[in-house]
Amino acid sequence: MRVLVAHNRYQVRGGEDAAVARDLAALERAGCAVEAVCLDNGAIDSGLARLRAAFAATHAPEGIARVMAAVRRFAPDVVHVHNFFPLLSPGIHAAARAAGCATVQTLHNYRLICPGAFLMRDGAPCEVCVTGSPYQAVRFACYRGSRIGSLAVARMVDRHRRAGTWRRDVDRFVALTPFARERFVAAGFPADKIRIRPNGLPDPGEPPGGPRSGLLYVGRLSPEKGVPVLAEAAARAGIRVTAIGEGPLAGVLADHPGLDLRGALAPDAVQAAMARAAAVVVPSLWYEGLPMVVAEAFAAGTPVVASRIGALASLVSEGATGLLAEPGDAADLAAALARIAGDPAAAAAMGRAARTVYEREWREDVTTRALLEIYRDAVAARAADASLSPTGT
């Protein structure tokens, strides 16, 4: 299998960039011939550059040309697109299809159906653009608080929705969770082309034995992550939660009695902290795509206390691999934190169950096999379409 991966890196490295890097390494270990074309948003370094990139996002000819040069040289079976915004654009799929390649698009976030990418507005879930006009995002300045930027992204969403790009030019989509798949199907994406495959995670090894203690938060210190709610809940429960991460709320929460802020730590230190914790807390207020902190916690044999919202409600099984609390409800979250802290034996049992789920669903070899099956499926679909076309393209 020859795989060309196309990805538009973010200015600040995040979970999507890390997931792409893990997939590349895993595919090489699986024996695939792999090449990557990565565009970098670091080049968008001025207001004018941002404006130009936003309005070129509907069809970015320079980025597409870079990928297609690699297609001609490398001759892949599959072109797998991750983030395409704004330097690559959805137009890459039509170009790759015209060259005879199967195409795959991973749905890391909701950019294809929501100009803001997160299905969230004013601190709460929002789905008005899922079945309605994406230009509603202009009114609310959903893209980075800018109406001009929101207009550019809404134009991209609308143009490719009307052109049939997602039905015609993509052979298979990869949704990270069943919840995400449902949202895209509701937006009109072809259900028969969407496969569910979570991001993989290399096995850190068997979790250490011995007693666990303390509760841990790992992630960005920002409102949509529910960190203020967590701080209030911890204070109510008389518990101090260790928080690893940085973000705009760091200064505001620095002296909060419910949190012990540690800042950003190296990955091995985060992994060690997870392996010592009684539970990891994910109090998000928005529809998370697939927060890898859940997979990392499960791999460490650590249960998760999460908000009952979006994909989190199915990723964490109540009473089996962790506990769920109503999003934004500090009292409900405080009760869940107290349950974990007050019953170490039950928490340990949930941690063992969480480790079993990781081995079955998120271990790298499992997710790589699933991805290769999606590639084979896409190649077969592309060949079938080509055989029905009078021109063979």
Side-chain angles (χ1 to χ4, degrees), residues 307-329:
S307 296
R308 189 181 287 105
I309 187 172
L312 288 172
S314 58
L315 292 174
V316 177
S317 178
E318 174 72 28
T321 59
L323 299 175
L324 295 168
E326 289 303 308
D329 188 332

Side-chain angles (χ1 to χ4, degrees), residues 242-294:
T242 299
I244 298 175
E246 297 177 325
L249 296 181
V252 176
L253 297 172
D255 298 320
H256 198 286
L259 298 180
D260 179 13
L261 303 188
R262 298 293 179 87
L265 298 181
D268 57 344
V270 175
Q271 183 178 314
M274 284 189 173
R276 294 191 300 266
V280 169
V281 190
V282 186
S284 293
L285 305 179
W286 73 287
Y287 294 155
E288 296 270 7
L290 177 65
M292 289 308 290
V293 66
V294 176

